[in-house]
Amino acid sequence: MPVSLPGEERPGADDRPTVQITAVTWPVAAPGAEPQPAPGTESQPAVASPPEPQPARRGRRLAVLAAAVTTVVVAGIAGAGSYAYSGDIPRGTQVLGVEVGGKSRAAAEAALQGELTRRAPELNAPIDVRIGEGNVTVAPQEIGLHIDVAATVDEAAGSEPSLLGRLFGSHEVPPVVRLDTEKLDALLQPVARKQGRAMTQPAISYRGTTVKVVHPEPGLVLDTATTAQKIQDSWLTRGPVEAPLVEQYPEMSRAEVDELAEGLARPAVAAPVTVKTDGGKITISPRAIAASLTFTLDDSRRLTGQVDAKRLRDALVDELPKVEREAKDATVTIAGGKPKVVPDRAGRRLDVSTLAGDLIAVLARTDDRTVSAGFRPVQAKTTAKDVAKLGIREKVAGFTTYFTGGIALPRNHNIAVVADTVDGVVIKPGEVFSLNGFTGERGYAQGYKDAPVILNGKLVPAVGGGISQFTTTLFNAIYYAGLEDVFHQPHSYWYSRYPSVIESTIFYPSLDFKFRNNTPNGIVLDTSYNDSSITVTVWGTKVYDKVTTEWGPKRNISNPRTVHLEDGPSCLATNGTQGFSQDAWRIFVQNGKEVKRERFSWTYDAEPRYICRPKSRS
């Protein structure tokens, strides 16, 4: 007959199995035959014995029955165990109220995903996060808030309920909830910063040579990790979320900052430091030390003092020339009417990077503030071999313009200064020479003086006046050498000391003069001057036999107007000149024949006649 395990209902109550026992019949010996051994027992020799009493026979029957019942129970338990442990997920396991026990992983994931789809409106509802007195509404999608279905099923598969729990009970496995902490932090920080306070990091700096100390103070910042965990824990129950603000302390204490200020920052600027080199001594003043000694937060967010090498070099701008030597490029000089290579010279620069590191050990001392430093060699950009290969062999072209008043006159002095600056410059094949770029600013510091310049159509005194005459001289020299004109601009008014059209003005930094060495050989610019003239000569290797100019007639001639100005140092009287338009052709001649010509055109304004007195009202 069917036998149910204890506590189990009969079939029909649920889908749990019913274990049935099959009746067992043992073989019975025929009359007169020897008894047969029971299955699983060894055969014994037959021995004649008297008949057993009746009670003993009943006991043996009971033992046989008990053994049979035991076998049936064991078989039932084995069957129940097979049922309880079937599938990837233990029976009785639920997630979010969904039965996943007894299922394969794939089936469990599908069941759980279906529940999440059903509850999507609920799960996608915004979450209110309270930060101090502020509030942020967060959409789950914005922070990647979701249930990791695969990880949740893994958790369910790894749970270990008891056998009875698997057969008769149920247990809930919480889902694995994940979110993107960085995205959450980005959403909450704008409000968190308003509700909290920024941490004050320590700082040490100088105002002049006075030490300024900023002591550290704790900040009140968002605890993003705890907030994320609260959101994960309360998401499914829709509980409120309070984002905690916690104090965040700097790595350095107030006492440690004071110790650094007293131990390094203040003694560093208490006295100068002497630097000894093979080229002599220089002094690092307290002000130069303050300009180069910096205190910054390292990777561990602690202040450390270090000397900035670049700042140190800038601070020593007046001291370094005493021991350093600039490299000098090889160039060409003209001696006896022939070009001669002047060798290059290596330079040396103070090894400021190494000095900056060694200086730190000295700055904390109150005496023996001396440190040694070495040099780094600096090679010339152009060597004598480089120049020799350039093929500078002969005079290609030259041009001279004239002035009055002697070389001591301010405008003529300026011409001499720029001529000395440009003298000997070597221009390699293909290079573009910029006059502004080569000389840089032409101001008082470079030795230039105030002299008249044309500004907004009027002659006014300005530093560097007269440079346009040198520019015109240089332009004509490269023009007749056949070199490529990249950019030039003639004057607004024509001056008779210059050839019309083929002349050039200049103004730093807005108006430049540029040309290209478009020959296969190098060229060198040779300048010379006296009390009445400036000459620029181009040396290299000739490409053309001759370069000449043909001018067209003047046209569109206009007469000057008269302008009365207030008398004073800024008023420069002029006689005025006519305005006109004109063309000029540069003609290239090779083997006695014209091979090319270029047209240059310009229109000059009529220069007003400026009178330095107000116009009479009579």
Side-chain angles (χ1 to χ4, degrees), residues 418 433-437 439-440 442 453-454 464-472 474 487-491 503-514:
V418 72
F433 177 84
S434 159
L435 186 54
N436 276 347
T439 66
R442 296 178 293 272
V453 299
I454 299 176
I467 303 301
S468 288
Q469 180 162 351
F470 176 81
T471 307
T472 289
L474 176 59
F487 178 83
H488 85 285
Q489 180 174 303
H491 288 78
E503 48 92 6
S504 180
T505 186
I506 194 168
F507 192 83
Y508 185 88
S510 57
L511 191 59
D512 200 2
F513 163 55
K514 299 178 182 180

Side-chain angles (χ1 to χ4, degrees), residues 59-103:
R60 186 166 57 248
R61 289 178 179 172
L62 290 174
V64 171
L65 179 59
V69 170
T70 298
T71 300
V72 170
V73 170
V74 170
I77 291 174
S82 176
Y83 164 79
Y85 286 91
S86 63
D88 294 331
I89 316 298
R91 287 190 178 275
T93 302
Q94 293 183 350
V95 177
L96 297 177
V98 176
E99 183 73 38
V100 295
K103 300 180 184 295

Side-chain angles (χ1 to χ4, degrees), residues 253-295:
S253 67
R254 187 185 187 93
E256 288 174 321
V257 175
D258 289 338
E259 182 181 356
L260 182 60
E262 296 301 324
L264 177 59
R266 287 191 173 88
V269 295
V273 173
T274 299
V275 180
K276 296 190 300 184
T277 75
D278 291 341
K281 296 180 180 179
I282 61 172
T283 299
I284 307 178
S285 67
R287 187 168 292 275
I289 293 169
S292 55
L293 178 58
T294 63
F295 294 85

Side-chain angles (χ1 to χ4, degrees), residues 66-143:
V69 170
T70 298
T71 300
V72 170
V73 170
V74 170
I77 291 174
S82 176
Y83 164 79
Y85 286 91
S86 63
D88 294 331
I89 316 298
R91 287 190 178 275
T93 302
Q94 293 183 350
V95 177
L96 297 177
V98 176
E99 183 73 38
V100 295
K103 300 180 184 295
S104 67
R105 289 176 186 264
E109 289 184 15
L112 182 55
Q113 190 61 60
E115 176 65 11
L116 296 179
T117 300
R118 186 184 68 81
R119 296 173 63 173
E122 171 193 350
L123 297 177
N124 290 331
I127 301 168
D128 287 330
V129 180
R130 188 78 176 169
I131 308 174
E133 298 299 320
N135 191 74
V136 181
T137 300
V138 178
Q141 301 93 327
E142 291 180 303
I143 59 174

Side-chain angles (χ1 to χ4, degrees), residues 16 25 47 66 77 156 179 229 257 285 311 318 386 391 394 407 435 437 574 586 592:
R16 292 186 174 88
T25 303
V47 178
I77 291 174
L179 60 78
Q229 189 60 56
V257 175
S285 67
R311 292 186 181 185
D318 294 329
D386 295 333
E394 58 190 337
I407 202 68
L435 186 54
T574 64
R586 177 162 65 158

Side-chain angles (χ1 to χ4, degrees), residues 445-484:
Q446 292 76 33
Y448 294 90
K449 298 180 179 181
D450 285 335
V453 299
I454 299 176
L455 188 62
N456 298 323
K458 177 184 173 184
L459 276 176
V460 296
V463 62
I467 303 301
S468 288
Q469 180 162 351
F470 176 81
T471 307
T472 289
T473 309
L474 176 59
F475 172 76
N476 275 268
I478 69 100
Y479 173 95
Y480 286 106
L483 301 177
E484 179 185 345

